Amino acid sequence: MEQRSKHPLSAREHEVLRLAAVGHSNKTIAEKLQIGPKSVETYKARGMTKLGFHDRVEVVRFAHSMGWLDES
């Protein structure tokens, strides 16, 4: 995943934002990653701040441009 290095996200922020972009709820993301829902919110907020995003639409657009929506 060469494109991952082109943005400042940690591996966990990347995974949380990718899962959110494909439509998973915070609860589902927390279960998949075996972390708490509050941690999901924190990782999502940090990632969005780093990328300068203000809403989920921006996350989905970014995810699409990065090819995250094509991953399983």
Side-chain angles (χ1 to χ4, degrees):
M1 186 181 301
E2 185 178 319
Q3 289 181 331
R4 179 185 272 179
S5 64
K6 293 182 181 180
H7 56 76
L9 299 176
S10 70
R12 186 62 88 184
E13 291 161 350
H14 168 268
E15 189 64 9
V16 167
L17 288 178
R18 186 185 71 78
L19 291 169
V22 297
H24 292 289
S25 68
N26 286 354
K27 182 180 177 185
T28 302
I29 295 169
E31 290 169 358
K32 282 181 174 279
L33 301 180
Q34 298 180 334
I35 59 176
K38 290 281 188 188
S39 293
V40 171
E41 291 175 22
T42 298
Y43 286 121
K44 192 186 303 181
R46 283 184 190 165
M48 289 177 67
T49 297
K50 285 181 180 181
L51 295 170
F53 297 159
H54 298 84
D55 59 37
R56 188 179 183 119
V57 172
E58 292 174 303
V59 173
V60 173
R61 285 183 186 146
F62 178 75
H64 177 69
S65 74
M66 297 298 287
W68 295 357
L69 305 181
D70 302 329
E71 297 175 10
S72 41

